[in-house]
Every structure is written in C-alpha cells, then in structure tokens.
Amino acid sequence: MRIDARGLEFVVRAGGPEGGEPVLLLHGFPQHGGEFDEVVPVLHAAGLRTYAPDQRGYSPGARPTDVEAYRLPELVADAAALLDALGVEAAHLVGHDWGAAVAWALAAAHPERVRTLTAVSVPHPAAMAHALTHDPKQKARSSYMALFRQAGTAEKMLLGMRAAGLRRVLSGVGDSARVAAYAEPLREPGALTGALNWYRAMSGAALGAVGPVTVPTTYVWSDGDTAIGRGAAEECARHVTGDYRFVELPGVSHWIPDEAPAPLAEAILARVAGDARTDGTEEL
C-alpha cells in the first residue's frame, strides 16, 4: 500500500488481522521494510497488525534532495505522520539500525504515541553519542560513517561494478537473493543518496539531545555486531526510565531481523504482552 504523509508518498507493507493491535516496524540502512518479512508472520499469528514502511529516502515518492531534510526530527515526524495517516493513536514500535534511532527518538518525544518500544541493534541515540565520544573501540567500529558522509564518493564506491560494495555491506543478511532484494532498489537513481543522507544529516548534538524514554522498552543487541559494541549497548540502560529489558543474542551479527527472526519476534511479543522481567541481561 502507499500512504501520503507530510507531502510525501511512502510504500508500506501491511499485514495481520485488521483489528489487531498495531505495530509500526522501522527498517535500517541499507534495507527497507521487507527486512521484517520473516518476523511479521509470528506477530500476525499472535493477533497483531503490522505496518512496515520504506522510510524517507527509500520510498521513491519520499526522496527529497536536501540533506537537511534527513535530520532526525524530520524522520521522527514522518513516523508520527504515518501513524496519523493510518488512524493509529498509539502503536507498539519496533526499529532496527537507523530505524531504532528513529524509534528511540519518537518514544522520547511523543510517548503518548508509543505503547511499547523494541529497539534492535542500535542503542538510545544519547548512548550512541556518548560511546562515539568516549569509547575508542566504538569510534573504530563506526569509522565507516566517515565514508558514508562523503557525497558522491560513497555512491561511487558502493554502486560501482554493479553495486559490489553495497553487496559486501549486506553480505551478512543471508543468501544472494536476499542481498539482491536490498541492493537492487538502491541502484535506482537517487535512492542510495537518499539512504546515505541519513548519515550526512546526523550530528552528535542531535543524537545527544534525545531525552529519556519512559515507555516499556526492550533493547535487543547481538554480541556478533561489528557496528555496535558492548559499551554502547550497556550504556543504553541509563537512558530508559520506564520498564526496561536488555536481550542479548549470542553469536548473531548486526542483521538480527534477517539472521534471527524467531528470537526477535519472541522478544517483541514478550514486550507487547507486558513481560516485565528486568533482572539484567537475558540471553535468547
């Protein structure tokens, strides 16, 4: 389905029982809403209604050219506007990678719109900003961002030789068909630039300005994540004042929705059901 919001048109994958409690799923880079395809059947079986949009820069009809149009507040406003367009007052919110950053910020700024939050891989933006400033290991893990922020250069390196560089970035998501499902849409004119503009509009000040989250929250992190280290992951708890659960997935890479959809779905359902186990780290 296609939804008009804020003068833009977003592609949205919708599924599950029409009357089910709504779940908004926000994807990361360099993917799209289809990254949750192996997760949502479990949520549907539990009676939930899911909406997985291709976010700003990824939907062909939502691809502004100005880098400033990709600042975090704009991305958060998109998510809130999509809920408005869907007629959803408050949803269970799930976000992976950059989608997690948007989800954290939406939950912090508009807790009345978020029933529960399940953030995947990327911690609270203020925790990430702290780690980027104070943790040399996290700085090294995030060094790839410097390339992504170089307009033109990043596109050339990632899209050259039939997107060989982009396919390498995506190599952990699964087989060649799954890699192609994410890479091919970003070969369309302007698509990868829109996706990279999220990095180009990012600032440490904006990340650090995101306030504490008060809604019931689960943070899912995997110890095989090469992008997010344990320091940033554990710093996350300092920025949640509501009920909080930290779920660690051993031996799983950054691509949790693709690599471990069943454990992720379990964590989402536990949070939606109001599971309040907060006795430290839990392994699934």
PDB file of all heavy atoms in Angstrom, residues 219-259:
ATOM      1  N   TYR A 219      15.531  -3.649  24.580  1.00  0.00           N
ATOM      2  CA  TYR A 219      16.629  -3.399  23.660  1.00  0.00           C
ATOM      3  C   TYR A 219      17.272  -4.740  23.328  1.00  0.00           C
ATOM      4  O   TYR A 219      17.706  -5.466  24.222  1.00  0.00           O
ATOM      5  CB  TYR A 219      17.648  -2.445  24.284  1.00  0.00           C
ATOM      6  CG  TYR A 219      18.911  -2.273  23.463  1.00  0.00           C
ATOM      7  CD1 TYR A 219      18.843  -2.027  22.090  1.00  0.00           C
ATOM      8  CD2 TYR A 219      20.157  -2.351  24.051  1.00  0.00           C
ATOM      9  CE1 TYR A 219      19.996  -1.878  21.341  1.00  0.00           C
ATOM     10  CE2 TYR A 219      21.313  -2.190  23.315  1.00  0.00           C
ATOM     11  CZ  TYR A 219      21.220  -1.948  21.955  1.00  0.00           C
ATOM     12  OH  TYR A 219      22.375  -1.807  21.209  1.00  0.00           O
ATOM     13  N   VAL A 220      17.302  -5.072  22.041  1.00  0.00           N
ATOM     14  CA  VAL A 220      17.845  -6.348  21.568  1.00  0.00           C
ATOM     15  C   VAL A 220      19.189  -6.074  20.892  1.00  0.00           C
ATOM     16  O   VAL A 220      19.251  -5.315  19.913  1.00  0.00           O
ATOM     17  CB  VAL A 220      16.884  -7.034  20.571  1.00  0.00           C
ATOM     18  CG1 VAL A 220      17.451  -8.394  20.158  1.00  0.00           C
ATOM     19  CG2 VAL A 220      15.493  -7.195  21.195  1.00  0.00           C
ATOM     20  N   TRP A 221      20.231  -6.681  21.401  1.00  0.00           N
ATOM     21  CA  TRP A 221      21.585  -6.499  20.880  1.00  0.00           C
ATOM     22  C   TRP A 221      22.217  -7.872  20.676  1.00  0.00           C
ATOM     23  O   TRP A 221      21.876  -8.831  21.379  1.00  0.00           O
ATOM     24  CB  TRP A 221      22.415  -5.680  21.849  1.00  0.00           C
ATOM     25  CG  TRP A 221      23.862  -5.504  21.469  1.00  0.00           C
ATOM     26  CD1 TRP A 221      24.361  -4.697  20.498  1.00  0.00           C
ATOM     27  CD2 TRP A 221      24.997  -6.150  22.070  1.00  0.00           C
ATOM     28  NE1 TRP A 221      25.738  -4.791  20.458  1.00  0.00           N
ATOM     29  CE2 TRP A 221      26.155  -5.683  21.413  1.00  0.00           C
ATOM     30  CE3 TRP A 221      25.136  -7.078  23.107  1.00  0.00           C
ATOM     31  CZ2 TRP A 221      27.437  -6.116  21.745  1.00  0.00           C
ATOM     32  CZ3 TRP A 221      26.405  -7.511  23.448  1.00  0.00           C
ATOM     33  CH2 TRP A 221      27.541  -7.036  22.768  1.00  0.00           C
ATOM     34  N   SER A 222      23.117  -7.962  19.702  1.00  0.00           N
ATOM     35  CA  SER A 222      23.771  -9.238  19.417  1.00  0.00           C
ATOM     36  C   SER A 222      25.277  -9.081  19.581  1.00  0.00           C
ATOM     37  O   SER A 222      25.854  -8.077  19.134  1.00  0.00           O
ATOM     38  CB  SER A 222      23.435  -9.694  17.996  1.00  0.00           C
ATOM     39  OG  SER A 222      23.558  -8.625  17.076  1.00  0.00           O
ATOM     40  N   ASP A 223      25.922 -10.061  20.223  1.00  0.00           N
ATOM     41  CA  ASP A 223      27.349  -9.902  20.530  1.00  0.00           C
ATOM     42  C   ASP A 223      28.248 -10.083  19.312  1.00  0.00           C
ATOM     43  O   ASP A 223      29.453  -9.838  19.387  1.00  0.00           O
ATOM     44  CB  ASP A 223      27.777 -10.827  21.669  1.00  0.00           C
ATOM     45  CG  ASP A 223      27.656 -12.307  21.341  1.00  0.00           C
ATOM     46  OD1 ASP A 223      27.364 -12.662  20.181  1.00  0.00           O
ATOM     47  OD2 ASP A 223      27.867 -13.128  22.264  1.00  0.00           O
ATOM     48  N   GLY A 224      27.669 -10.465  18.164  1.00  0.00           N
ATOM     49  CA  GLY A 224      28.437 -10.537  16.928  1.00  0.00           C
ATOM     50  C   GLY A 224      28.294  -9.295  16.066  1.00  0.00           C
ATOM     51  O   GLY A 224      28.726  -9.298  14.902  1.00  0.00           O
ATOM     52  N   ASP A 225      27.740  -8.235  16.624  1.00  0.00           N
ATOM     53  CA  ASP A 225      27.529  -6.993  15.877  1.00  0.00           C
ATOM     54  C   ASP A 225      28.853  -6.254  15.727  1.00  0.00           C
ATOM     55  O   ASP A 225      29.457  -5.849  16.726  1.00  0.00           O
ATOM     56  CB  ASP A 225      26.514  -6.123  16.614  1.00  0.00           C
ATOM     57  CG  ASP A 225      25.998  -4.965  15.773  1.00  0.00           C
ATOM     58  OD1 ASP A 225      26.765  -4.428  14.956  1.00  0.00           O
ATOM     59  OD2 ASP A 225      24.826  -4.596  15.958  1.00  0.00           O
ATOM     60  N   THR A 226      29.306  -6.065  14.494  1.00  0.00           N
ATOM     61  CA  THR A 226      30.569  -5.363  14.270  1.00  0.00           C
ATOM     62  C   THR A 226      30.388  -3.846  14.302  1.00  0.00           C
ATOM     63  O   THR A 226      31.377  -3.112  14.382  1.00  0.00           O
ATOM     64  CB  THR A 226      31.187  -5.763  12.917  1.00  0.00           C
ATOM     65  OG1 THR A 226      30.264  -5.461  11.868  1.00  0.00           O
ATOM     66  CG2 THR A 226      31.525  -7.255  12.903  1.00  0.00           C
ATOM     67  N   ALA A 227      29.156  -3.362  14.244  1.00  0.00           N
ATOM     68  CA  ALA A 227      28.903  -1.919  14.233  1.00  0.00           C
ATOM     69  C   ALA A 227      28.672  -1.352  15.625  1.00  0.00           C
ATOM     70  O   ALA A 227      29.016  -0.190  15.890  1.00  0.00           O
ATOM     71  CB  ALA A 227      27.706  -1.603  13.340  1.00  0.00           C
ATOM     72  N   ILE A 228      28.098  -2.128  16.517  1.00  0.00           N
ATOM     73  CA  ILE A 228      27.733  -1.642  17.853  1.00  0.00           C
ATOM     74  C   ILE A 228      28.390  -2.522  18.903  1.00  0.00           C
ATOM     75  O   ILE A 228      28.112  -3.722  18.996  1.00  0.00           O
ATOM     76  CB  ILE A 228      26.208  -1.652  18.073  1.00  0.00           C
ATOM     77  CG1 ILE A 228      25.497  -0.866  16.963  1.00  0.00           C
ATOM     78  CG2 ILE A 228      25.870  -1.097  19.449  1.00  0.00           C
ATOM     79  CD1 ILE A 228      25.814   0.604  16.924  1.00  0.00           C
ATOM     80  N   GLY A 229      29.266  -1.931  19.709  1.00  0.00           N
ATOM     81  CA  GLY A 229      29.972  -2.682  20.737  1.00  0.00           C
ATOM     82  C   GLY A 229      29.201  -2.781  22.035  1.00  0.00           C
ATOM     83  O   GLY A 229      28.184  -2.113  22.239  1.00  0.00           O
ATOM     84  N   ARG A 230      29.715  -3.591  22.931  1.00  0.00           N
ATOM     85  CA  ARG A 230      29.043  -3.819  24.214  1.00  0.00           C
ATOM     86  C   ARG A 230      28.955  -2.543  25.045  1.00  0.00           C
ATOM     87  O   ARG A 230      27.981  -2.319  25.767  1.00  0.00           O
ATOM     88  CB  ARG A 230      29.769  -4.917  25.000  1.00  0.00           C
ATOM     89  CG  ARG A 230      29.075  -5.289  26.302  1.00  0.00           C
ATOM     90  CD  ARG A 230      29.741  -6.475  26.981  1.00  0.00           C
ATOM     91  NE  ARG A 230      29.585  -7.675  26.199  1.00  0.00           N
ATOM     92  CZ  ARG A 230      28.492  -8.447  26.221  1.00  0.00           C
ATOM     93  NH1 ARG A 230      27.471  -8.118  26.995  1.00  0.00           N
ATOM     94  NH2 ARG A 230      28.418  -9.516  25.478  1.00  0.00           N
ATOM     95  N   GLY A 231      29.983  -1.691  24.978  1.00  0.00           N
ATOM     96  CA  GLY A 231      29.947  -0.460  25.765  1.00  0.00           C
ATOM     97  C   GLY A 231      28.742   0.392  25.427  1.00  0.00           C
ATOM     98  O   GLY A 231      28.022   0.860  26.326  1.00  0.00           O
ATOM     99  N   ALA A 232      28.494   0.621  24.142  1.00  0.00           N
ATOM    100  CA  ALA A 232      27.329   1.402  23.723  1.00  0.00           C
ATOM    101  C   ALA A 232      26.041   0.701  24.105  1.00  0.00           C
ATOM    102  O   ALA A 232      25.066   1.334  24.538  1.00  0.00           O
ATOM    103  CB  ALA A 232      27.381   1.644  22.219  1.00  0.00           C
ATOM    104  N   ALA A 233      26.030  -0.629  23.949  1.00  0.00           N
ATOM    105  CA  ALA A 233      24.821  -1.391  24.271  1.00  0.00           C
ATOM    106  C   ALA A 233      24.469  -1.277  25.750  1.00  0.00           C
ATOM    107  O   ALA A 233      23.304  -1.067  26.113  1.00  0.00           O
ATOM    108  CB  ALA A 233      25.017  -2.854  23.885  1.00  0.00           C
ATOM    109  N   GLU A 234      25.448  -1.399  26.615  1.00  0.00           N
ATOM    110  CA  GLU A 234      25.180  -1.367  28.051  1.00  0.00           C
ATOM    111  C   GLU A 234      24.921   0.049  28.556  1.00  0.00           C
ATOM    112  O   GLU A 234      24.267   0.225  29.584  1.00  0.00           O
ATOM    113  CB  GLU A 234      26.329  -2.037  28.796  1.00  0.00           C
ATOM    114  CG  GLU A 234      26.410  -3.533  28.485  1.00  0.00           C
ATOM    115  CD  GLU A 234      27.478  -4.274  29.278  1.00  0.00           C
ATOM    116  OE1 GLU A 234      28.311  -3.590  29.922  1.00  0.00           O
ATOM    117  OE2 GLU A 234      27.460  -5.521  29.249  1.00  0.00           O
ATOM    118  N   GLU A 235      25.434   1.047  27.854  1.00  0.00           N
ATOM    119  CA  GLU A 235      25.160   2.447  28.192  1.00  0.00           C
ATOM    120  C   GLU A 235      23.689   2.787  28.003  1.00  0.00           C
ATOM    121  O   GLU A 235      23.144   3.702  28.635  1.00  0.00           O
ATOM    122  CB  GLU A 235      26.026   3.356  27.316  1.00  0.00           C
ATOM    123  CG  GLU A 235      25.756   4.832  27.418  1.00  0.00           C
ATOM    124  CD  GLU A 235      26.251   5.466  28.717  1.00  0.00           C
ATOM    125  OE1 GLU A 235      27.034   4.802  29.446  1.00  0.00           O
ATOM    126  OE2 GLU A 235      25.850   6.605  29.003  1.00  0.00           O
ATOM    127  N   CYS A 236      23.023   2.014  27.164  1.00  0.00           N
ATOM    128  CA  CYS A 236      21.640   2.281  26.796  1.00  0.00           C
ATOM    129  C   CYS A 236      20.713   2.361  28.016  1.00  0.00           C
ATOM    130  O   CYS A 236      19.812   3.202  28.071  1.00  0.00           O
ATOM    131  CB  CYS A 236      21.174   1.185  25.847  1.00  0.00           C
ATOM    132  SG  CYS A 236      19.586   1.484  25.090  1.00  0.00           S
ATOM    133  N   ALA A 237      20.925   1.515  28.994  1.00  0.00           N
ATOM    134  CA  ALA A 237      20.028   1.434  30.156  1.00  0.00           C
ATOM    135  C   ALA A 237      19.913   2.759  30.896  1.00  0.00           C
ATOM    136  O   ALA A 237      18.881   3.037  31.529  1.00  0.00           O
ATOM    137  CB  ALA A 237      20.517   0.340  31.109  1.00  0.00           C
ATOM    138  N   ARG A 238      20.933   3.586  30.835  1.00  0.00           N
ATOM    139  CA  ARG A 238      20.933   4.868  31.541  1.00  0.00           C
ATOM    140  C   ARG A 238      19.925   5.849  30.956  1.00  0.00           C
ATOM    141  O   ARG A 238      19.626   6.870  31.586  1.00  0.00           O
ATOM    142  CB  ARG A 238      22.334   5.491  31.515  1.00  0.00           C
ATOM    143  CG  ARG A 238      23.390   4.687  32.233  1.00  0.00           C
ATOM    144  CD  ARG A 238      24.757   5.385  32.211  1.00  0.00           C
ATOM    145  NE  ARG A 238      24.686   6.699  32.799  1.00  0.00           N
ATOM    146  CZ  ARG A 238      24.931   7.835  32.153  1.00  0.00           C
ATOM    147  NH1 ARG A 238      25.240   7.811  30.865  1.00  0.00           N
ATOM    148  NH2 ARG A 238      24.874   8.991  32.762  1.00  0.00           N
ATOM    149  N   HIS A 239      19.412   5.537  29.783  1.00  0.00           N
ATOM    150  CA  HIS A 239      18.535   6.484  29.107  1.00  0.00           C
ATOM    151  C   HIS A 239      17.087   5.996  29.018  1.00  0.00           C
ATOM    152  O   HIS A 239      16.300   6.528  28.225  1.00  0.00           O
ATOM    153  CB  HIS A 239      19.090   6.775  27.716  1.00  0.00           C
ATOM    154  CG  HIS A 239      20.461   7.362  27.747  1.00  0.00           C
ATOM    155  ND1 HIS A 239      20.689   8.698  27.953  1.00  0.00           N
ATOM    156  CD2 HIS A 239      21.687   6.771  27.659  1.00  0.00           C
ATOM    157  CE1 HIS A 239      22.000   8.921  27.962  1.00  0.00           C
ATOM    158  NE2 HIS A 239      22.621   7.766  27.788  1.00  0.00           N
ATOM    159  N   VAL A 240      16.758   4.985  29.809  1.00  0.00           N
ATOM    160  CA  VAL A 240      15.376   4.481  29.879  1.00  0.00           C
ATOM    161  C   VAL A 240      14.921   4.534  31.322  1.00  0.00           C
ATOM    162  O   VAL A 240      15.540   3.922  32.199  1.00  0.00           O
ATOM    163  CB  VAL A 240      15.269   3.043  29.339  1.00  0.00           C
ATOM    164  CG1 VAL A 240      13.810   2.584  29.373  1.00  0.00           C
ATOM    165  CG2 VAL A 240      15.826   2.932  27.937  1.00  0.00           C
ATOM    166  N   THR A 241      13.853   5.272  31.576  1.00  0.00           N
ATOM    167  CA  THR A 241      13.313   5.362  32.930  1.00  0.00           C
ATOM    168  C   THR A 241      12.100   4.465  33.118  1.00  0.00           C
ATOM    169  O   THR A 241      11.676   4.230  34.240  1.00  0.00           O
ATOM    170  CB  THR A 241      12.928   6.814  33.265  1.00  0.00           C
ATOM    171  OG1 THR A 241      11.936   7.266  32.339  1.00  0.00           O
ATOM    172  CG2 THR A 241      14.149   7.730  33.170  1.00  0.00           C
ATOM    173  N   GLY A 242      11.541   3.983  32.011  1.00  0.00           N
ATOM    174  CA  GLY A 242      10.429   3.046  32.090  1.00  0.00           C
ATOM    175  C   GLY A 242      10.925   1.628  32.293  1.00  0.00           C
ATOM    176  O   GLY A 242      12.125   1.375  32.434  1.00  0.00           O
ATOM    177  N   ASP A 243       9.998   0.688  32.311  1.00  0.00           N
ATOM    178  CA  ASP A 243      10.352  -0.724  32.427  1.00  0.00           C
ATOM    179  C   ASP A 243      11.311  -1.097  31.300  1.00  0.00           C
ATOM    180  O   ASP A 243      11.044  -0.814  30.130  1.00  0.00           O
ATOM    181  CB  ASP A 243       9.069  -1.550  32.356  1.00  0.00           C
ATOM    182  CG  ASP A 243       9.352  -3.038  32.436  1.00  0.00           C
ATOM    183  OD1 ASP A 243      10.036  -3.450  33.373  1.00  0.00           O
ATOM    184  OD2 ASP A 243       8.893  -3.767  31.537  1.00  0.00           O
ATOM    185  N   TYR A 244      12.427  -1.735  31.640  1.00  0.00           N
ATOM    186  CA  TYR A 244      13.491  -1.953  30.651  1.00  0.00           C
ATOM    187  C   TYR A 244      13.990  -3.386  30.708  1.00  0.00           C
ATOM    188  O   TYR A 244      14.189  -3.957  31.774  1.00  0.00           O
ATOM    189  CB  TYR A 244      14.663  -1.014  30.933  1.00  0.00           C
ATOM    190  CG  TYR A 244      15.835  -1.163  29.980  1.00  0.00           C
ATOM    191  CD1 TYR A 244      15.697  -0.832  28.643  1.00  0.00           C
ATOM    192  CD2 TYR A 244      17.071  -1.632  30.427  1.00  0.00           C
ATOM    193  CE1 TYR A 244      16.758  -0.947  27.755  1.00  0.00           C
ATOM    194  CE2 TYR A 244      18.145  -1.754  29.549  1.00  0.00           C
ATOM    195  CZ  TYR A 244      17.983  -1.405  28.221  1.00  0.00           C
ATOM    196  OH  TYR A 244      19.032  -1.533  27.341  1.00  0.00           O
ATOM    197  N   ARG A 245      14.199  -3.928  29.513  1.00  0.00           N
ATOM    198  CA  ARG A 245      14.733  -5.281  29.386  1.00  0.00           C
ATOM    199  C   ARG A 245      15.811  -5.285  28.303  1.00  0.00           C
ATOM    200  O   ARG A 245      15.608  -4.756  27.208  1.00  0.00           O
ATOM    201  CB  ARG A 245      13.603  -6.244  29.006  1.00  0.00           C
ATOM    202  CG  ARG A 245      14.026  -7.697  28.924  1.00  0.00           C
ATOM    203  CD  ARG A 245      12.836  -8.545  28.523  1.00  0.00           C
ATOM    204  NE  ARG A 245      13.186  -9.947  28.391  1.00  0.00           N
ATOM    205  CZ  ARG A 245      12.463 -10.840  27.737  1.00  0.00           C
ATOM    206  NH1 ARG A 245      11.336 -10.480  27.163  1.00  0.00           N
ATOM    207  NH2 ARG A 245      12.845 -12.099  27.662  1.00  0.00           N
ATOM    208  N   PHE A 246      16.949  -5.855  28.607  1.00  0.00           N
ATOM    209  CA  PHE A 246      18.063  -5.954  27.662  1.00  0.00           C
ATOM    210  C   PHE A 246      18.192  -7.416  27.262  1.00  0.00           C
ATOM    211  O   PHE A 246      18.463  -8.272  28.098  1.00  0.00           O
ATOM    212  CB  PHE A 246      19.346  -5.452  28.339  1.00  0.00           C
ATOM    213  CG  PHE A 246      20.602  -5.571  27.512  1.00  0.00           C
ATOM    214  CD1 PHE A 246      20.582  -5.505  26.128  1.00  0.00           C
ATOM    215  CD2 PHE A 246      21.830  -5.752  28.126  1.00  0.00           C
ATOM    216  CE1 PHE A 246      21.736  -5.598  25.380  1.00  0.00           C
ATOM    217  CE2 PHE A 246      23.007  -5.858  27.396  1.00  0.00           C
ATOM    218  CZ  PHE A 246      22.961  -5.786  26.019  1.00  0.00           C
ATOM    219  N   VAL A 247      17.973  -7.691  25.979  1.00  0.00           N
ATOM    220  CA  VAL A 247      18.051  -9.049  25.450  1.00  0.00           C
ATOM    221  C   VAL A 247      19.303  -9.165  24.587  1.00  0.00           C
ATOM    222  O   VAL A 247      19.458  -8.419  23.625  1.00  0.00           O
ATOM    223  CB  VAL A 247      16.802  -9.407  24.624  1.00  0.00           C
ATOM    224  CG1 VAL A 247      16.963 -10.779  23.971  1.00  0.00           C
ATOM    225  CG2 VAL A 247      15.550  -9.374  25.497  1.00  0.00           C
ATOM    226  N   GLU A 248      20.176 -10.093  24.925  1.00  0.00           N
ATOM    227  CA  GLU A 248      21.395 -10.319  24.157  1.00  0.00           C
ATOM    228  C   GLU A 248      21.273 -11.617  23.367  1.00  0.00           C
ATOM    229  O   GLU A 248      20.905 -12.663  23.915  1.00  0.00           O
ATOM    230  CB  GLU A 248      22.601 -10.393  25.099  1.00  0.00           C
ATOM    231  CG  GLU A 248      23.917 -10.630  24.379  1.00  0.00           C
ATOM    232  CD  GLU A 248      25.117 -10.578  25.325  1.00  0.00           C
ATOM    233  OE1 GLU A 248      24.976 -10.011  26.444  1.00  0.00           O
ATOM    234  OE2 GLU A 248      26.180 -11.102  24.960  1.00  0.00           O
ATOM    235  N   LEU A 249      21.584 -11.539  22.081  1.00  0.00           N
ATOM    236  CA  LEU A 249      21.544 -12.708  21.211  1.00  0.00           C
ATOM    237  C   LEU A 249      22.975 -13.151  20.927  1.00  0.00           C
ATOM    238  O   LEU A 249      23.683 -12.502  20.150  1.00  0.00           O
ATOM    239  CB  LEU A 249      20.820 -12.385  19.901  1.00  0.00           C
ATOM    240  CG  LEU A 249      19.386 -11.872  20.018  1.00  0.00           C
ATOM    241  CD1 LEU A 249      18.809 -11.612  18.631  1.00  0.00           C
ATOM    242  CD2 LEU A 249      18.518 -12.847  20.789  1.00  0.00           C
ATOM    243  N   PRO A 250      23.427 -14.243  21.525  1.00  0.00           N
ATOM    244  CA  PRO A 250      24.807 -14.689  21.321  1.00  0.00           C
ATOM    245  C   PRO A 250      25.034 -15.215  19.909  1.00  0.00           C
ATOM    246  O   PRO A 250      24.183 -15.895  19.330  1.00  0.00           O
ATOM    247  CB  PRO A 250      24.969 -15.814  22.355  1.00  0.00           C
ATOM    248  CG  PRO A 250      23.838 -15.661  23.315  1.00  0.00           C
ATOM    249  CD  PRO A 250      22.726 -15.067  22.529  1.00  0.00           C
ATOM    250  N   GLY A 251      26.189 -14.873  19.349  1.00  0.00           N
ATOM    251  CA  GLY A 251      26.586 -15.429  18.067  1.00  0.00           C
ATOM    252  C   GLY A 251      25.832 -14.902  16.869  1.00  0.00           C
ATOM    253  O   GLY A 251      25.924 -15.466  15.776  1.00  0.00           O
ATOM    254  N   VAL A 252      25.097 -13.815  17.025  1.00  0.00           N
ATOM    255  CA  VAL A 252      24.312 -13.235  15.940  1.00  0.00           C
ATOM    256  C   VAL A 252      24.969 -11.933  15.508  1.00  0.00           C
ATOM    257  O   VAL A 252      25.493 -11.182  16.329  1.00  0.00           O
ATOM    258  CB  VAL A 252      22.854 -12.982  16.379  1.00  0.00           C
ATOM    259  CG1 VAL A 252      22.048 -12.310  15.276  1.00  0.00           C
ATOM    260  CG2 VAL A 252      22.197 -14.293  16.799  1.00  0.00           C
ATOM    261  N   SER A 253      24.924 -11.643  14.213  1.00  0.00           N
ATOM    262  CA  SER A 253      25.543 -10.435  13.683  1.00  0.00           C
ATOM    263  C   SER A 253      24.599  -9.232  13.831  1.00  0.00           C
ATOM    264  O   SER A 253      23.535  -9.316  14.448  1.00  0.00           O
ATOM    265  CB  SER A 253      25.906 -10.640  12.212  1.00  0.00           C
ATOM    266  OG  SER A 253      24.740 -10.580  11.405  1.00  0.00           O
ATOM    267  N   HIS A 254      24.968  -8.134  13.186  1.00  0.00           N
ATOM    268  CA  HIS A 254      24.163  -6.908  13.215  1.00  0.00           C
ATOM    269  C   HIS A 254      22.794  -7.094  12.567  1.00  0.00           C
ATOM    270  O   HIS A 254      21.837  -6.391  12.912  1.00  0.00           O
ATOM    271  CB  HIS A 254      24.930  -5.811  12.462  1.00  0.00           C
ATOM    272  CG  HIS A 254      24.188  -4.517  12.348  1.00  0.00           C
ATOM    273  ND1 HIS A 254      24.051  -3.636  13.398  1.00  0.00           N
ATOM    274  CD2 HIS A 254      23.540  -3.941  11.287  1.00  0.00           C
ATOM    275  CE1 HIS A 254      23.367  -2.584  13.006  1.00  0.00           C
ATOM    276  NE2 HIS A 254      23.034  -2.745  11.735  1.00  0.00           N
ATOM    277  N   TRP A 255      22.678  -8.045  11.662  1.00  0.00           N
ATOM    278  CA  TRP A 255      21.465  -8.177  10.850  1.00  0.00           C
ATOM    279  C   TRP A 255      20.436  -9.066  11.547  1.00  0.00           C
ATOM    280  O   TRP A 255      19.988 -10.090  11.027  1.00  0.00           O
ATOM    281  CB  TRP A 255      21.826  -8.734   9.478  1.00  0.00           C
ATOM    282  CG  TRP A 255      22.963  -7.989   8.853  1.00  0.00           C
ATOM    283  CD1 TRP A 255      24.266  -8.382   8.777  1.00  0.00           C
ATOM    284  CD2 TRP A 255      22.911  -6.702   8.229  1.00  0.00           C
ATOM    285  NE1 TRP A 255      25.032  -7.437   8.149  1.00  0.00           N
ATOM    286  CE2 TRP A 255      24.222  -6.380   7.794  1.00  0.00           C
ATOM    287  CE3 TRP A 255      21.878  -5.780   7.989  1.00  0.00           C
ATOM    288  CZ2 TRP A 255      24.535  -5.198   7.135  1.00  0.00           C
ATOM    289  CZ3 TRP A 255      22.181  -4.600   7.322  1.00  0.00           C
ATOM    290  CH2 TRP A 255      23.484  -4.317   6.910  1.00  0.00           C
ATOM    291  N   ILE A 256      20.009  -8.674  12.713  1.00  0.00           N
ATOM    292  CA  ILE A 256      19.154  -9.506  13.568  1.00  0.00           C
ATOM    293  C   ILE A 256      17.840  -9.903  12.892  1.00  0.00           C
ATOM    294  O   ILE A 256      17.458 -11.085  12.920  1.00  0.00           O
ATOM    295  CB  ILE A 256      18.909  -8.810  14.919  1.00  0.00           C
ATOM    296  CG1 ILE A 256      20.217  -8.775  15.731  1.00  0.00           C
ATOM    297  CG2 ILE A 256      17.823  -9.532  15.713  1.00  0.00           C
ATOM    298  CD1 ILE A 256      20.113  -7.976  17.023  1.00  0.00           C
ATOM    299  N   PRO A 257      17.083  -8.977  12.273  1.00  0.00           N
ATOM    300  CA  PRO A 257      15.808  -9.408  11.679  1.00  0.00           C
ATOM    301  C   PRO A 257      15.961 -10.466  10.598  1.00  0.00           C
ATOM    302  O   PRO A 257      15.064 -11.304  10.412  1.00  0.00           O
ATOM    303  CB  PRO A 257      15.232  -8.111  11.101  1.00  0.00           C
ATOM    304  CG  PRO A 257      15.851  -7.031  11.915  1.00  0.00           C
ATOM    305  CD  PRO A 257      17.249  -7.513  12.182  1.00  0.00           C
ATOM    306  N   ASP A 258      17.090 -10.450   9.874  1.00  0.00           N
ATOM    307  CA  ASP A 258      17.331 -11.447   8.830  1.00  0.00           C
ATOM    308  C   ASP A 258      17.902 -12.734   9.403  1.00  0.00           C
ATOM    309  O   ASP A 258      17.525 -13.830   8.986  1.00  0.00           O
ATOM    310  CB  ASP A 258      18.329 -10.888   7.805  1.00  0.00           C
ATOM    311  CG  ASP A 258      17.766  -9.714   7.041  1.00  0.00           C
ATOM    312  OD1 ASP A 258      17.030  -9.942   6.070  1.00  0.00           O
ATOM    313  OD2 ASP A 258      18.056  -8.563   7.421  1.00  0.00           O
ATOM    314  N   GLU A 259      18.827 -12.607  10.336  1.00  0.00           N
ATOM    315  CA  GLU A 259      19.560 -13.770  10.840  1.00  0.00           C
ATOM    316  C   GLU A 259      18.847 -14.484  11.977  1.00  0.00           C
ATOM    317  O   GLU A 259      18.966 -15.708  12.128  1.00  0.00           O
ATOM    318  CB  GLU A 259      20.950 -13.331  11.298  1.00  0.00           C
ATOM    319  CG  GLU A 259      21.878 -14.470  11.668  1.00  0.00           C
ATOM    320  CD  GLU A 259      23.263 -13.996  12.052  1.00  0.00           C
ATOM    321  OE1 GLU A 259      23.581 -12.811  11.854  1.00  0.00           O
ATOM    322  OE2 GLU A 259      24.042 -14.829  12.572  1.00  0.00           O
TER     323      GLU A 259
END
